[in-house]
């Protein structure tokens, strides 16, 4: 067929080029004939000569005639093109050819002719001039080029081709120059119906007899929505979960198709099919970007990335994978841990950040790695929500009282222990409901049977320490660290509470009295100290006076001792003198001598001081005058009396001193 078209074009161009030359050649030949064989002269009438002059051609240059021929061809081109089978296709058109009759007929079930059969032809006419398509044999329909706008795709429906196999719903991709070469499509085994491949942004010469192109402009007339024909844009913080609508069935026991490499995020659909791609949910996800995805082949659901915040780790539970081999070790017998990518609980947790996980086939359990408080009360609830259903413990003491007890349990799960906790219990909520609540509740119920309610009220610190140690040992078996166990509000019965209140008031009153007594004692001490401070000067003066008195007494004693010693020595000397006098004069003579000496020394008056004579009253007057003079001066007798008194006092002092001396 291509060779026939080429011959038709050569023939049309030859006719177009030879036509002016033939016209000019015929005119030139007639002129030469006239010159060689001139017509015989004739006598013409004046009227005939005038007509001959009008009928003669003007004498023009030779190049004018080809130019005139070209002009005539252009003027009469439609008629000439119709005769020559000329078809002109515009630059934004494509010609779809229909052959009206032929010696061969189309095979059964075929729509387009490949070997010159009558009917719609597989080959189209490109923009330009085409000869040989005579109207009595061909009908050419001009169709606009297919234009796919920016950020859109075009879907293809083939109206002819091989039948699609029963296990697939879309026609396979064959080499056909993006569906612009219908002959290649049919000869390479293209299949009839909806196609796997899509047309991306651009302009295409499509044989509209074979292919129906669905764009956003005609989506509504083909049972689709315009937004389905846009390029799929996955946002940066999201991940696309893919469900394929074509391929072989998923294996039994699996929920998603395995990862197939090389299909460029489901854009190269035939590679996915050839690689054994499964129909349904896919393990592989589509990350952020713009993707040319066939909506007949792929359903894309955008979901947020899995975010693990600071203070948490994410334990991945995968429902797909290559194997289920346990790598937890012989010491862990409460569940299975698998390597990353396998089916089961991954032994390696996800750390803080955003992770593009397929949440349809994986579950991420967030486990807090910081200390969290589980509140056994309704007054407080943690932001984590694990204790939303917990209430205060109702206990019965050994003395028969029922009371409520608030408990605050602080726990910690290590990052590397988090997969073990999830493998054993499934979730953090199960840890609280199935492990922590029964351990804490049962311990305090058992402990209440051993203590009175007053033991909890008075010795709560001891009860708290015992509970903390018990819970710590119990949770260690579950790979959970019990940081501390704290006892909160204790609510005893009202009547017992009144008794305790009265007791507490009495204790406080006793403390008040003790405090007041101490205050009074301190006040007394203050008064005493103040008084002492006030008399401190007098005390100092008295103390110094005592010292002075002691010193004076000592001085007096020393003086008395000296005088006594002097008297003793004097007496001894006198005694010696008396003995010497007695020895020399005799006792009577010496005594008389001493008596006379004493009388003389003491001025003892042996004769009266005044002698009154009774003659003529003159004696009395002389006596009175003498007594007056005698009274004005101390008498010798008085002086002697004073000296005797001094000697007696000194003797008494010396005697007392001698008595005080130790024997």
């Amino acid at each position: 067929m291509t060779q026939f078209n080429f011959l038709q074009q050569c023939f049309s161009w030859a006719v177009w080029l030879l036509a002016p030359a033939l016209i000019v050649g015929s005119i030139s030949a007639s002129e030469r004939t006239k010159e060689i064989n001139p017509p015989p002269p004739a006598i013409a009438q004046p009227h005939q000569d005038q007509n001959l002059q009008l009928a003669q051609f003007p004498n023009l240059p030779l190049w004018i005639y080809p130019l005139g021929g070209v002009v005539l061809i252009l003027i009469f081109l439609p008629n000439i093109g119709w005769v020559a089978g000329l078809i002109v296709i515009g630059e934004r058109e494509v010609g779809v050819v229909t052959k009206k009759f032929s010696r061969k007929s189309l095979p059964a079930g075929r729509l387009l002719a490949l070997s010159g059969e009558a009917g719609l032809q597989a080959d189209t006419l490109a923009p330009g001039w085409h000869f040989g398509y005579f109207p009595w044999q061909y009908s050419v329909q001009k169709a606009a080029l297919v234009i796919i706008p920016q950020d859109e795709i075009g879907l293809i429906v083939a109206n002819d081709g091989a039948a699609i196999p029963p296990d697939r719903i879309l026609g396979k991709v064959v080499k056909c120059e993006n569906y612009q070469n219908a002959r290649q499509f049919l000869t390479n085994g293209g299949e009839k119906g909806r196609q796997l491949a899509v047309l991306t942004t651009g302009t295409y010469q499509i044989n509209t007899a074979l292919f129906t192109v669905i764009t956003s402009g005609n989506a509504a007339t083909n049972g689709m929505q315009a937004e389905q024909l846009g390029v799929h844009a996955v946002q940066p913080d999201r991940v696309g979960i893919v469900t394929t609508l074509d391929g072989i069935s998923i294996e039994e026991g699996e929920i998603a198709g395995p990862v197939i490499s090389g299909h460029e995020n489901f854009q190269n659909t035939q590679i996915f099919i050839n690689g054994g791609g499964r129909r349904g949910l896919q393990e592989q996800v589509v990350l952020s970007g713009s993707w040319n995805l066939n909506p007949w082949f792929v359903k894309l659901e955008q979901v947020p990335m899995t975010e693990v915040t600071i203070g948490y780790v994410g334990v991945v539970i995968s429902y797909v994978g290559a194997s289920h081999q346990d790598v937890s070790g012989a010491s862990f017998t409460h569940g299975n841990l698998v390597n990353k990518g396998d089916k089961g609980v991954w032994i390696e947790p996800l750390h803080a950040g955003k992770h593009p996980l397929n949440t349809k086939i994986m579950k991420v359990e967030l486990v807090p790695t910081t200390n969290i408080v589980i509140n056994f009360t309704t007054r407080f609830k943690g932001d984590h929500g694990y204790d939303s259903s917990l209430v205060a413990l109702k206990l019965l003491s050994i003395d028969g009282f029922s009371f409520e007890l608030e408990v605050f349990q602080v726990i910690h799960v290590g990052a590397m222990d988090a997969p073990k906790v999830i493998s054993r219990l499934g979730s953090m909520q199960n840890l609280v409901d199935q492990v922590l609540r029964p351990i804490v509740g049962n311990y305090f119920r058992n402990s209440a049977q051993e203590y009175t309610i007053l033991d909890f009220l008075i010795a709560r610190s001891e009860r708290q320490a015992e509970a903390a140690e018990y819970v710590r040992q119990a949770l260690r078996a579950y790979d959970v660290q019990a940081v501390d166990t704290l006892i909160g509000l204790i609510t005893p019965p009202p009547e017992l509470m009144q008794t305790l209140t009265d007791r507490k008031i009495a204790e406080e009153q006793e403390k008040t009295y003790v405090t007041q007594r101490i205050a009074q004692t301190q006040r007394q001490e203050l008064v005493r100290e103040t008084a002492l401070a006030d008399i401190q000067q007098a005390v100092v003066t008295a103390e110094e006076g005592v010292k002075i008195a002691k010193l004076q007494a000592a001085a007096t004693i020393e003086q008395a001792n000296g005088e006594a010693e002097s008297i003793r020595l004097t007496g001894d000397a006198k005694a010696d003198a008396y003995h010497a006098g007695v020895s020399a004069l005799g006792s009577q003579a010496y005594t008389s001598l001493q008596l006379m000496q004493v009388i003389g020394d003491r001025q003892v008056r042996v004769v009266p001081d005044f002698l009154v004579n009774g003659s003529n009253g003159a004696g009395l007057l002389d006596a009175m005058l003498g007594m007056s003079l005698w009274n004005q001066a101390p008498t010798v007798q008085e002086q002697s009396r004073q000296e005797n008194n001094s000697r007696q006092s000194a003797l008494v002092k010396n005697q007392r001193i001698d008595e005080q001396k130790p024997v």
Side-chain angles (χ1 to χ4, degrees), residues 252-500:
E252 184 178 358
E254 299 292 339
I255 64 171
V259 177
I260 306 297
S261 61
H263 54 76
E264 300 176 0
N265 287 317
F266 302 95
Q267 296 181 112
N268 197 330
T269 52
Q270 194 58 48
I271 292 180
F272 178 84
I273 296 296
N274 295 340
R278 305 287 175 166
R279 179 185 306 177
L281 182 64
Q282 301 297 308
E283 293 184 25
Q284 184 176 349
V285 296
V286 177
L287 302 181
S288 62
S290 297
W291 313 100
N292 296 312
L293 302 178
N294 189 338
W296 291 335
F297 176 71
V298 170
K299 282 187 176 180
L300 186 68
E301 178 185 0
Q302 295 192 36
V303 298
M305 287 190 178
T306 301
E307 182 177 3
V308 180
T309 58
I310 297 176
Y312 286 80
V313 295
V315 178
V316 179
I317 304 173
S318 177
Y319 304 115
V320 298
S323 64
H324 198 74
Q325 182 180 0
D326 183 20
V327 295
S328 60
S331 60
F332 185 74
T333 59
H334 306 282
N336 295 332
L337 298 176
V338 299
N339 289 321
K340 184 177 181 180
D342 290 347
K343 182 186 296 185
V345 180
W346 291 0
I347 192 172
E348 181 181 350
L350 302 178
H351 296 282
K354 291 186 176 181
H355 304 271
L357 298 182
N358 189 338
T359 55
K360 298 288 186 180
I361 61 174
M362 295 178 184
K363 177 183 177 183
V364 178
E365 185 70 26
L366 295 179
V367 177
T369 55
T370 57
N371 292 349
I372 61 173
V373 181
I374 307 300
N375 304 291
F376 288 81
T377 179
T378 56
R379 296 191 302 126
F380 307 102
K381 295 299 177 185
D383 295 336
H384 45 70
Y386 300 139
D387 53 5
S388 58
S389 61
L390 298 181
V391 296
L393 301 177
K394 295 184 181 298
L395 307 179
L396 182 64
S397 63
I398 192 173
D399 51 359
F401 287 102
S402 177
F403 63 99
E404 290 186 354
L405 177 67
E406 291 182 344
V407 178
F408 306 100
Q409 180 63 51
V410 185
I411 64 173
H412 171 73
V413 178
M416 301 311 297
D417 292 330
K420 297 180 180 179
V421 173
I422 299 303
S423 178
R424 179 199 297 262
L425 299 169
S427 66
M428 285 295 295
Q429 189 63 55
N430 291 342
L431 171 64
V432 174
D433 295 340
Q434 302 175 12
V435 176
L436 191 59
R437 177 161 58 180
I439 288 178
V440 174
N442 289 341
Y443 170 77
F444 279 101
R445 291 186 183 93
N446 295 336
S447 178
Q449 297 297 314
E450 300 176 0
Y451 298 99
T452 65
I453 189 172
L454 293 179
D455 292 332
F456 280 90
L457 293 172
I458 299 174
R460 59 181 297 165
S461 59
E462 289 80 358
R463 306 290 82 76
Q464 181 174 285
E466 294 171 357
E469 182 61 26
Y470 176 84
V471 175
R472 185 178 296 109
Q473 295 294 335
L475 290 183
R476 186 176 300 171
Y478 295 89
D479 301 298
V480 178
Q481 302 176 22
V483 179
D484 203 355
T485 303
L486 306 174
I487 295 178
L489 182 64
I490 302 175
T491 308
E495 58 274 13
L496 181 60
M497 194 64 188
Q498 183 63 39
T499 302
L500 295 177

Side-chain angles (χ1 to χ4, degrees), residues 38-43:
I43 300 174

Side-chain angles (χ1 to χ4, degrees), residues 449-652:
Q449 297 297 314
E450 300 176 0
Y451 298 99
T452 65
I453 189 172
L454 293 179
D455 292 332
F456 280 90
L457 293 172
I458 299 174
R460 59 181 297 165
S461 59
E462 289 80 358
R463 306 290 82 76
Q464 181 174 285
E466 294 171 357
E469 182 61 26
Y470 176 84
V471 175
R472 185 178 296 109
Q473 295 294 335
L475 290 183
R476 186 176 300 171
Y478 295 89
D479 301 298
V480 178
Q481 302 176 22
V483 179
D484 203 355
T485 303
L486 306 174
I487 295 178
L489 182 64
I490 302 175
T491 308
E495 58 274 13
L496 181 60
M497 194 64 188
Q498 183 63 39
T499 302
L500 295 177
T501 302
D502 296 340
R503 180 182 300 178
K504 188 63 177 178
I505 293 174
E507 292 177 356
E508 294 299 325
Q509 289 178 346
E510 182 181 359
K511 292 180 181 178
T512 302
Y513 297 152
V514 171
T515 304
Q516 291 177 348
R517 185 174 64 251
I518 294 173
Q520 292 296 333
T521 303
Q522 291 179 347
R523 189 176 66 83
Q524 293 174 0
E525 292 179 357
L526 177 61
V527 172
R528 182 181 298 107
E529 294 296 330
T530 303
L532 290 176
D534 293 339
I535 65 174
Q536 187 66 34
Q537 182 176 1
V539 171
V540 173
T541 303
E543 289 177 353
E544 294 299 325
V546 170
K547 292 180 180 179
I548 293 172
K550 289 181 179 180
L551 293 176
Q552 289 177 349
T556 303
I557 292 172
E558 291 296 331
Q559 182 179 359
N561 291 334
E563 291 179 354
E565 184 66 21
S566 176
I567 292 171
R568 186 180 62 79
L569 294 176
T570 302
D572 291 340
K574 287 183 176 181
D576 294 337
Y578 291 160
H579 287 294
V582 169
S583 299
L585 297 179
S587 59
Q588 292 182 352
Y590 184 76
T591 303
S592 297
L593 180 62
Q594 289 296 321
L595 180 61
M596 294 302 290
Q597 185 177 356
V598 169
I599 293 173
D601 293 337
R602 301 289 182 90
Q603 297 179 359
V604 176
R605 291 185 297 274
V606 178
V607 180
D609 293 330
F610 302 98
L611 180 60
V612 179
N613 295 317
S615 60
N616 297 323
L620 181 61
L621 182 60
D622 293 337
M624 293 177 63
L625 181 61
M627 291 180 63
S628 175
L629 293 174
W630 182 77
N631 290 331
Q632 291 180 356
T635 62
V636 176
Q637 184 179 0
E638 185 177 354
Q639 292 179 353
S640 299
R641 190 183 298 112
Q642 291 179 353
E643 292 177 359
N644 292 330
N645 291 335
S646 299
R647 290 190 185 97
Q648 291 177 359
S649 297
L651 290 173
V652 171

Side-chain angles (χ1 to χ4, degrees), residues 41-64:
I43 300 174
Q45 297 179 356
H47 181 70
Q48 293 177 348
D49 294 340
Q50 186 178 1
N51 292 335
L52 290 173
Q53 291 177 358
L54 293 173
Q56 290 180 354
F57 289 100
N59 189 11
L60 298 175
L62 185 61
W63 58 271
I64 291 295

Side-chain angles (χ1 to χ4, degrees), residues 74-116:
L74 293 176
I75 293 174
F76 296 103
L77 181 60
N79 293 330
I80 296 174
W82 184 84
V83 173
L86 175 63
I87 299 297
V88 180
I89 305 298
E91 61 181 5
R92 301 186 69 81
E93 296 177 334
V94 62
V96 179
V97 180
T98 302
K99 193 172 185 180
K100 298 180 180 180
F101 60 89
S102 176
R103 291 178 298 176
K104 297 184 291 184
S105 300
L106 284 173
R110 298 303 299 269
L111 179 63
L112 272 71
L114 295 174
S115 302

Side-chain angles (χ1 to χ4, degrees), residues 74-269:
L74 293 176
I75 293 174
F76 296 103
L77 181 60
N79 293 330
I80 296 174
W82 184 84
V83 173
L86 175 63
I87 299 297
V88 180
I89 305 298
E91 61 181 5
R92 301 186 69 81
E93 296 177 334
V94 62
V96 179
V97 180
T98 302
K99 193 172 185 180
K100 298 180 180 180
F101 60 89
S102 176
R103 291 178 298 176
K104 297 184 291 184
S105 300
L106 284 173
R110 298 303 299 269
L111 179 63
L112 272 71
L114 295 174
S115 302
E117 298 92 346
L120 293 169
Q121 302 298 303
D123 298 316
T124 58
L125 300 181
W129 288 16
H130 303 272
F131 292 94
Y133 292 93
F134 304 105
W136 60 84
Q137 188 177 10
Y138 296 98
S139 174
V140 179
Q141 181 182 1
K142 298 178 182 180
L145 297 179
V146 174
I147 300 175
I148 307 299
Q150 186 71 27
D151 296 330
E152 292 186 10
I153 61 171
L155 301 178
I156 304 296
V157 179
N159 300 319
D160 197 3
I164 297 177
D167 59 343
R168 290 189 293 106
I169 62 173
L170 298 177
K172 65 181 180 180
V173 180
V174 297
K175 183 179 179 182
C176 58
E177 301 176 7
N178 286 325
Y179 299 101
Q180 296 181 103
N181 194 327
R183 178 178 293 275
Q184 283 187 349
F185 177 81
L186 295 174
T187 56
N188 290 336
E191 297 171 344
K192 183 178 181 179
R194 294 180 175 182
Q195 301 297 302
L196 279 169
V198 298
L199 296 179
T200 57
T201 301
T203 302
Y204 301 90
Q205 298 177 9
I206 301 295
N207 188 339
T208 55
L210 176 59
F211 301 112
T212 299
V213 182
I214 302 175
T215 63
S216 59
N218 62 359
T221 59
N222 290 275
M224 299 191 68
Q225 298 178 356
E227 54 269 17
Q228 291 181 282
L229 301 173
V231 174
H232 285 76
V234 180
Q235 301 301 320
D237 59 342
R238 291 180 171 265
V239 61
I241 298 178
V242 176
T243 300
T244 57
L245 306 177
D246 202 358
I248 60 178
S249 300
I250 295 177
E251 294 181 358
E252 184 178 358
E254 299 292 339
I255 64 171
V259 177
I260 306 297
S261 61
H263 54 76
E264 300 176 0
N265 287 317
F266 302 95
Q267 296 181 112
N268 197 330
T269 52

